[in-house]
Amino acid sequence: CFETKQRENNCYNYGNDVLTNTFAQPGRGSGVCSHSSRPCVPNTCEDVRSAAESDGLVWAGTTLPTVLPPSGHYVSLHIWPRSNFHWIRMDANMTWSHKPGGSPVRDRDNNGKVITDPGAADFSPWTKHCGYMRTLPSNVTLY
């Protein structure tokens, strides 16, 4: 689905494994802002994290997860200061993948390296690593 609808779904959709075809924004699904707001909240670690928590994601901290969670999966939040957010998803093989905007999914950072530690990978212009959250697709509300 992220191949055929890639232009309508962004990194927040991909990170949560939920298609909305709306370029989902943290907080929009839970009513923090209107469905037409973009962005929904200021692009800071604190604001985007809080908005994502209102959508159903659970804060996991700033330490790189070293095991798969008992349910759902981990995502890593990154911020392009004063501009945009970006989410990276932990895959079942313990490496990470992401989907910048409407582009295809990729499992490499901007230097072409397999992503084993999102906090150390190159996702520029998203230069601020905020930490990790756990998501369970059936428990989150995105729009």
Side-chain angles (χ1 to χ4, degrees):
C1 291
F2 283 101
E3 289 179 19
T4 59
K5 294 291 188 175
Q6 77 181 15
R7 288 189 174 93
E8 291 87 16
N9 293 280
N10 62 7
C11 63
Y12 193 50
N13 293 106
Y14 178 73
N16 284 284
D17 201 22
V18 175
L19 290 172
T20 62
N21 300 325
T22 63
F23 245 62
Q25 301 291 301
R28 253 187 358 201
S30 55
V32 170
C33 62
S34 74
H35 282 180
S36 61
S37 294
R38 186 172 167 188
C40 179
V41 297
N43 285 300
T44 67
C45 288
E46 297 77 18
D47 289 317
V48 175
R49 171 189 166 182
S50 178
E53 286 175 320
S54 72
D55 287 346
L57 283 80
V58 177
W59 179 246
T62 57
T63 302
L64 176 67
T66 57
V67 297
L68 296 172
S71 61
H73 58 274
Y74 290 110
V75 290
S76 178
L77 172 59
H78 301 253
I79 296 291
W80 175 355
R82 296 178 302 280
S83 183
N84 203 342
F85 58 82
H86 192 49
W87 296 88
I88 292 73
R89 179 172 89 183
M90 181 189 266
D91 297 320
N93 66 359
M94 301 286 294
T95 63
W96 300 72
S97 59
H98 64 123
K99 183 184 180 309
S103 67
V105 171
R106 56 186 83 160
D107 62 358
R108 310 270 172 162
D109 72 2
N110 290 343
N111 291 322
K113 295 180 180 176
V114 172
I115 306 161
T116 57
D117 179 355
D122 178 8
F123 297 110
S124 58
W126 297 279
T127 55
K128 177 128 179 81
H129 178 241
C130 305
Y132 303 93
M133 301 186 85
R134 188 176 51 81
T135 182
L136 181 59
S138 60
N139 288 358
V140 297
T141 305
L142 305 188
Y143 189 87

